[in-house]
Amino acid sequence: MQKVKLNNGIEMPLMGFGVFQIPDPSECEKSVITAIEAGYRLIDTATLYQNEKAVGNAIKNSGIAREELFITTKLWIQDTGYQKTKKSFEQSLKKLQVDYLDLYLLHQQLGDYYGSWRAMEELYKEGKIRAIGISNFFPDRAIDLVVHNEITPAVNQIEVNPFYQRKETIEFHQNNNILVQSWASFAEGQKDIFNSKILSSIGAKYNKSIAQVVLRWLIQQNVAVIPKSVTPSRIFENNDIWDFVLSDEDMQAIVVLDTNKSVFFDHREPDTVKWLASLQYEE
Ligand SMILES: NC(=O)c1ccc[n+]([C@@H]2O[C@H](COP(=O)([O-])OP(=O)(O)OC[C@H]3O[C@@H](n4cnc5c(N)ncnc54)[C@H](OP(=O)(O)O)[C@@H]3O)[C@@H](O)[C@H]2O)c1
C-alpha cells in the first residue's frame, strides 16, 4: 500500500475505502471488513453518513490493530462552532469505538467553520487527532483559512473525476502543501463512465478495468483516492492498481473527458447552500 506524507509529517495511505451511501449497518460492516481483507487501511466515513458505528464495529472485528488503520471522519454543518465541534468529535469517537482519529475534516465550507477549526486545532495539539483537514473547500476559502489560522489543513477532500478534472485547483493545493483527496472518482457511475470508450481502450492496453484506469490516473497526479463499493469483487479490483503505470500519452488522452463542471452540483449556488444547510443527521 503506497503512502503519502502529509504536511505535518504523518503518513496516509493513498488508497482508502469510502462508505458514503451504505446506510445498512450490516452491509457497511461487511464491506469494511472485506476492504480490510483486500488490503485497504484507510476508511473514510462522516457523521452525516450515519454509519460511524458500523465502521467502528468493523474495525473492532477486523482483527487488525488500530494503529495499522487510518480512520477519517467529518464534521457536519449542524455541528459547526467551537463547542459543538468538541461535542460532535467526542460522539464520533464513541460511535467509531476508538480513542483517537487519524484525520478529521470540516465537511463543508459552511456554518461557523472558523470556530470549528479552532476546536480542531486544539484537539490536534492534545494528540486526539493526527491530522486535520477540509472538504469541499474552494481555493479562495481554503487560502482564507490558511492565512487566518495557525495550522494549515493537511488534506482537502474534493470532487475530482474524469469529467471534473480541476487541474488548476489541484495545482493550487500542491503549491500550498495541501493534499487533494478525490471523492466520487467514478462520478458515482454517472455519465456512463463504466462504458467510456476512451477509458476502456486505455484499460485494454494494460489489461485493467475502467475503474482501475481512473484510480491510477488520479494517483499519478498525486491525488489520493477513496473509492466506494459494496461488491466484494470490485472492492478487490479497485485496490489492484499498484502493478501498472499509465503512460504520459494515456494520461493526456483522458483530458478530453473534462467538462470543467461538477457531475453533481455547484457547492456555491445559493440553492445548494440552502439544501446542504438543511441536511441533518439523526443521533
Ligand atoms: N466529502 C464529501 O463531500 C464526499 C462526497 C461524496 C463522497 N465522499 C467520499 O468519497 C467516497 C467515494 O465517492 P462515492 O461513493 O460518492 O462514489 P464513487 O466511488 O465515485 O462511486 C461509487 C459507485 O461506483 C460503483 N463502483 C465501484 N467500483 C466499481 C467498479 N470497479 N466497477 C464498476 N462499478 C464500481 C459502486 O457500486 P457498488 O457499490 O454497487 O459496487 C458505486 O455505485 C464516498 O464513499 C465517501 O467516502 C465524500
Side-chain angles (χ1 to χ4, degrees):
M1 173 64 63
Q2 281 191 22
K3 290 185 175 172
V4 58
K5 220 175 226 171
L6 301 179
N7 63 15
N8 65 353
I10 75 153
E11 289 194 323
M12 185 186 93
L14 269 170
M15 166 70 71
F17 183 69
V19 297
F20 182 40
Q21 298 179 125
I22 320 182
D24 177 65
S26 81
E27 187 173 48
C28 181
E29 181 178 339
K30 228 169 50 194
S31 303
V32 173
I33 287 180
T34 304
I36 292 172
E37 279 165 11
Y40 296 74
R41 290 294 176 266
L42 186 158
I43 313 297
D44 181 87
T45 183
T47 304
L48 184 73
Y49 305 168
Q50 299 190 82
N51 55 17
E52 288 171 308
K53 191 153 181 236
V55 169
N57 289 341
I59 296 168
K60 212 173 56 189
N61 296 329
S62 69
I64 297 285
R66 167 69 186 95
E67 318 78 72
E68 285 183 39
L69 297 170
F70 190 104
I71 310 300
T72 305
T73 194
K74 315 182 191 86
L75 179 89
W76 188 240
I77 304 162
Q78 79 198 65
D79 296 320
T80 57
Y82 179 85
Q83 295 292 356
K84 283 198 270 178
T85 297
K86 293 250 170 133
K87 187 165 165 238
S88 185
F89 169 76
E90 289 301 331
Q91 283 171 342
S92 286
L93 283 191
K94 207 165 151 207
K95 288 183 207 155
L96 286 161
Q97 304 155 65
V98 293
D99 54 15
Y100 70 92
L101 280 182
D102 294 282
L103 180 63
Y104 198 32
L105 303 177
L106 281 173
H107 205 146
Q108 303 287 346
Q109 51 173 29
L110 298 174
D112 179 14
Y113 59 82
Y114 273 86
S116 295
W117 194 252
R118 279 194 294 279
M120 288 161 70
E121 286 184 329
E122 280 182 15
L123 293 164
Y124 171 74
K125 287 182 189 164
E126 288 163 12
K128 293 181 175 162
I129 312 172
R130 295 178 68 226
I132 54 177
I134 54 185
S135 177
N136 297 304
F137 274 56
F138 284 78
D140 62 321
R141 294 293 86 218
I143 204 68
D144 188 56
L145 198 70
V146 169
V147 298
H148 289 108
N149 288 283
E150 190 186 332
I151 299 174
T152 294
V155 170
N156 190 4
Q157 186 183 111
I158 57 174
E159 180 192 348
V160 187
N161 52 53
F163 309 116
Y164 191 30
Q165 300 192 7
R166 311 185 81 171
K167 188 168 180 285
E168 284 174 13
T169 300
I170 292 171
E171 274 168 18
F172 158 83
H173 287 90
Q174 289 173 346
N175 292 339
N176 285 285
N177 218 2
I178 302 171
L179 185 87
V180 174
Q181 191 177 46
S182 149
W183 62 256
S185 304
F186 307 143
E188 294 182 3
Q190 293 197 37
K191 290 189 172 281
D192 212 12
I193 189 170
F194 294 116
N195 290 310
S196 157
K197 285 212 172 71
I198 291 176
L199 296 173
S200 77
S201 70
I202 294 173
K205 294 190 203 172
Y206 304 91
N207 204 13
K208 291 287 175 180
S209 69
I210 285 178
Q212 291 168 323
V213 168
V214 170
L215 296 173
R216 201 60 228 181
W217 168 76
L218 289 160
I219 297 279
Q220 287 181 216
Q221 298 176 74
N222 294 317
V223 171
V225 295
I226 42 169
K228 170 263 175 186
S229 177
V230 293
T231 314
S233 59
R234 292 175 176 170
I235 295 174
F236 277 85
E237 175 189 324
N238 294 343
N239 193 28
D240 181 17
I241 61 160
W242 307 107
D243 58 352
F244 77 113
V245 178
L246 293 173
S247 67
D248 291 346
E249 191 192 0
D250 290 331
M251 290 292 289
Q252 197 52 37
I254 295 172
V255 170
V256 300
L257 295 175
D258 196 10
T259 64
N260 204 18
K261 207 169 118 217
S262 165
V263 172
F264 305 98
F265 42 74
D266 180 345
H267 281 80
R268 293 176 296 186
E269 277 289 324
D271 283 345
T272 306
V273 172
K274 270 195 195 165
W275 167 69
L276 286 170
S278 76
L279 296 181
Q280 304 254 321
Y281 67 88
E282 283 162 31
E283 307 242 337

